[in-house]
């Protein structure tokens, strides 16, 4: 069992930055893929990016490529989502999730989820 706790959301002006954290407990991330997703009101949950814990490879949605980056800290068993040049359309609840071994952008295939953290970008 993996428990995920997110932190770092908040209110920021357009063009600003935030860093979200996703800390895991209960099991090491070592064989997992950690995905970041977001969901705005009335919309389906959307893939943002992922990191493969085994080799630190990452992938991003086109909408955030070049602005967002995902990293990890093995010692802390924590993943990070660095968000730069934020836009009002980035406003959503952001979730991290963990999937054993398989790289996927499909949120329905992830096994464990954090509680979500609100990110609001004002224009």
């Amino acid at each position: 069992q993996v428990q995920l706790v997110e932190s770092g959301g908040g209110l920021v002006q357009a063009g600003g930055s935030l860093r979200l954290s996703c800390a895991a407990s209960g099991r090491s991330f070592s064989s997992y893929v950690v995905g970041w997703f977001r969901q705005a009101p009335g919309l389906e949950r959307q893939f943002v990016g992922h990191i493969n814990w085994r080799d630190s490879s990452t992938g991003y949605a086109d909408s955030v490529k070049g602005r967002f980056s995902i990293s990890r800290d093995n010692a802390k068993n924590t993943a990070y989502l660095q968000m730069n040049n934020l836009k009002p359309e980035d406003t959503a609840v952001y979730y991290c999730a963990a999937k054993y071994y398989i790289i996927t952008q499909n949120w329905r295939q992830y096994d464990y989820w954090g509680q979500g953290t609100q990110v609001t970008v004002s224009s």
Side-chain angles (χ1 to χ4, degrees):
Q1 193 77 5
V2 176
Q3 292 82 42
L4 304 178
V5 177
E6 298 145 8
S7 59
L11 173 65
V12 64
Q13 288 188 332
S17 298
L18 282 174
R19 189 178 80 158
L20 307 183
S21 300
C22 175
S25 61
R27 187 172 293 182
S28 168
F29 269 149
S30 61
S31 296
Y32 282 80
V33 173
V34 175
W36 287 93
F37 297 83
R38 63 187 182 186
Q39 189 165 20
L43 299 180
E44 188 170 356
R45 195 161 295 189
Q46 179 185 44
F47 171 76
V48 174
H50 72 259
I51 184 166
N52 184 346
W53 215 261
R54 295 186 299 280
D55 61 7
S56 293
S57 60
T58 56
Y60 301 94
D62 287 344
S63 59
V64 306
K65 204 170 290 183
R67 299 188 298 124
F68 291 12
S69 64
I70 299 172
S71 61
R72 67 175 190 182
D73 184 327
N74 274 338
K76 296 181 179 180
N77 215 28
T78 298
Y80 301 98
L81 176 65
Q82 177 67 44
M83 305 184 293
N84 298 327
N85 190 21
L86 282 160
K87 304 175 181 180
E89 51 263 43
D90 294 318
T91 295
V93 177
Y94 282 71
Y95 299 89
C96 68
K99 171 66 181 174
Y100 183 73
Y101 210 79
I102 303 298
I103 297 172
T104 176
Q105 297 184 7
N106 186 343
W107 65 268
R108 294 175 181 84
Q109 295 181 334
Y110 278 74
D111 302 312
Y112 305 102
W113 288 86
Q115 80 283 3
T117 186
Q118 177 70 46
V119 171
T120 303
V121 184
S122 62
S123 57

